[in-house]
Amino acid sequence: MEIYKYIKIDENSRIPKYQQIVDQIIENISKGNLKIDQKITSINRFSEEFYLSRDTVEKAYSILKERKIITSIKGKGFYVTRTKLISKVNILFLINKLSWYKMETYYSFLNSMGPNSFVDLHIYHCDESLFLNLLSKHKKAFDYYVIMPHFKTKDNQHASTTVAVSEAISKIPKNKLIIMDNGKVPMDDNIITVYEDYENDIYNALNEGLEKISKYKKLILIYPQKTIYPYPKRIKHGFKKFCIEHNFEFDVLDKVYNDMVLIKGDLFITIEEDDLVHLIDQIREKEFTLGNDMGVISYNDTPLKALLGITVISTNFKKMGEITSQMILNKEKGKVKVPFKFINRNSL
């Protein structure tokens, strides 16, 4: 078989021989020397050709099978099963919803990982069953599993995890697991965790903007109680903590209602884009001056909010992706909190 002229085992290398086999088969698939569905030599023949123990070759083939790079067909032998995932680092990336800021994190992560990686993106829509199915389908196939854990309960409340999710995540080897965005999944510190601290983030960001916020009489948080993609209650807790500490009158509403009663001196903090748009439309219709008569702060920055001059409190989503990728590339472990900032613009 042609495989023999491509494989070279270095007797003097400190890399284990089984790993040399794995790396060289992957490299030759990447180069196109081995094609998808191409048959490769048997374990016995390989060990004879390279004067290796059968156990060494069997271990290499077992790793390649776990990663779904090769497959065995009873009575026929071993075959190459995939080519697109062959790279130095293969990553499964699971996010809970499709949004501009989630995708900014993803693209930042992708760019920072560089060309020697393959990142397979899947969206599980905060659904426990879909998440578990995706994880089960792709178990043992990837070098790393990046997970943004946000789930919804039966009554559409936010949950950082569930019993079934925690059990499934615990089966991922610690050196392959990365928790991103939500640090409230109970795991030990010997993994990569790059997270937002929802309660303290909003509390600290509002404190950054206290001087501007102080001119308003009442603060109103628009926090959706039941939505397709529920938000952590810690956002609401941080908001209330800020208001109580600084003696602000405050309220929490679940949405921006039609014909909302707007009073001069109100400051609204919106989370969802639809509520932001609906609110600004009503402010304009009632001829209030945004940033003077009435204030608006939006949660999570986007280019459009920057263009329209909307004040925001926001995670640095680009930084989240960069930090995570660098920790993978540098083989670091531990918890890192992502910067969260108050960005003042014309709406305050």
Side-chain angles (χ1 to χ4, degrees):
M1 288 187 179
E2 286 190 356
I3 189 172
Y4 298 130
K5 70 181 182 183
Y6 299 124
I7 303 293
K8 289 181 173 57
I9 303 299
D10 184 355
E11 295 289 340
N12 298 316
S13 175
R14 297 296 185 268
I15 299 172
K17 291 183 176 63
Y18 73 85
Q19 189 62 52
Q20 290 187 51
I21 297 169
V22 171
D23 292 344
Q24 291 204 37
I25 287 179
I26 288 174
E27 182 181 356
N28 280 289
I29 295 173
S30 298
K31 289 179 177 178
N33 295 330
L34 297 174
K35 309 291 186 182
I36 195 166
D37 293 331
Q38 180 177 339
K39 186 176 182 179
I40 62 174
T41 188
S42 69
I43 292 173
N44 288 335
R45 183 73 186 277
F46 198 109
S47 63
E48 290 170 6
E49 186 71 25
F50 291 96
Y51 303 101
L52 298 170
S53 73
R54 192 181 190 283
D55 287 346
T56 296
V57 182
E58 189 171 27
K59 186 171 184 178
Y61 276 36
S62 177
I63 292 169
L64 291 165
K65 284 175 66 179
E66 278 189 359
R67 293 176 62 181
K68 295 186 169 68
I69 293 167
I70 65 171
T71 190
S72 59
I73 300 175
K74 191 173 182 180
K76 292 188 176 181
F78 296 91
Y79 294 83
V80 177
T81 56
R82 69 179 192 178
T83 55
K84 73 173 184 176
L85 296 185
I86 299 302
S87 58
K88 290 186 178 178
V89 183
N90 301 306
I91 301 162
L92 181 65
F93 202 102
L94 296 174
I95 64 175
N96 61 301
K97 68 177 180 180
L98 193 62
S99 66
W100 184 89
Y101 43 92
K102 297 281 183 181
M103 295 311 296
E104 183 179 36
T105 301
Y106 168 71
Y107 285 121
S108 170
F109 175 84
L110 200 63
N111 291 334
S112 187
M113 284 301 302
N116 290 326
S117 66
F118 177 85
V119 184
D120 195 5
L121 174 67
H122 291 270
I123 302 158
Y124 63 90
H125 303 288
C126 297
D127 184 89
E128 178 194 65
S129 296
L130 181 54
F131 175 86
L132 294 172
N133 287 338
L134 284 168
L135 207 55
S136 176
K137 179 181 177 182
H138 296 289
K139 65 181 178 182
K140 297 184 179 180
F142 290 86
D143 299 306
Y144 292 100
Y145 295 78
V146 179
I147 298 169
M148 288 189 180
H150 294 279
F151 298 90
K152 56 186 173 185
T153 61
K154 290 180 180 179
D155 58 348
N156 285 330
Q157 298 296 306
H158 179 273
S160 295
T161 187
T162 67
V163 173
V165 167
S166 292
E167 184 178 343
I169 291 176
S170 70
K171 293 178 182 177
I172 300 171
K174 299 295 185 293
N175 63 327
K176 294 185 175 186
L177 177 61
I178 295 95
I179 300 295
M180 184 188 279
D181 193 37
N182 184 0
K184 287 295 184 181
V185 177
M187 300 294 298
D188 61 40
D189 291 335
N190 196 31
I191 65 168
I192 295 173
T193 303
V194 181
Y195 68 101
E196 296 182 63
D197 181 356
Y198 292 96
E199 180 172 339
N200 289 317
D201 279 347
I202 187 171
Y203 169 79
N204 291 329
L206 292 175
N207 271 311
E208 281 186 58
L210 181 59
E211 185 179 348
K212 289 280 187 179
I213 293 170
S214 293
K215 71 180 183 181
Y216 294 96
K217 298 175 182 177
K218 185 173 183 177
L219 277 56
I220 302 159
L221 174 66
I222 308 297
Y223 175 87
Q225 294 293 336
K226 293 186 178 180
T227 180
I228 297 173
Y229 304 113
Y231 296 93
K233 291 180 181 178
R234 286 165 281 153
I235 295 173
K236 184 166 56 175
H237 298 160
F239 167 76
K240 289 182 176 180
K241 179 181 174 181
F242 170 81
C243 293
I244 292 168
E245 185 173 299
H246 296 288
N247 297 312
F248 281 108
E249 185 182 352
F250 70 92
D251 202 354
V252 178
L253 304 178
D254 63 345
K255 66 179 180 178
V256 173
Y257 294 89
N258 293 326
D259 298 317
M260 179 88 82
V261 176
L262 301 178
I263 299 173
K264 186 175 179 179
D266 285 347
L267 168 60
F268 287 88
I269 300 172
T270 64
I271 297 177
E272 293 201 330
E273 311 296 281
D274 287 349
D275 283 323
L276 175 63
V277 172
H278 197 187
L279 177 63
I280 290 177
D281 278 347
Q282 292 192 52
I283 290 171
R284 288 174 175 171
E285 283 174 9
K286 295 176 182 179
E287 298 183 346
F288 285 108
T289 304
L290 189 61
N292 188 8
D293 299 331
M294 194 162 293
V296 171
I297 298 175
S298 184
Y299 197 89
N300 290 333
D301 200 14
T302 67
L304 187 58
K305 291 174 189 177
L307 183 65
L308 297 175
I310 303 298
T311 297
V312 296
I313 49 177
S314 182
T315 294
N316 188 328
F317 295 102
K318 183 179 179 183
K319 200 73 175 173
M320 184 185 292
E322 290 174 351
I323 292 170
T324 306
S325 63
Q326 289 307 307
M327 290 184 76
I328 290 173
L329 294 171
N330 296 332
K331 300 189 182 302
E332 298 176 40
K333 304 295 179 187
K335 282 190 164 187
V336 178
K337 197 188 89 62
V338 181
F340 192 96
K341 293 293 183 182
F342 167 81
I343 304 173
N344 185 44
R345 297 184 182 125
N346 298 333
S347 68
L348 191 58

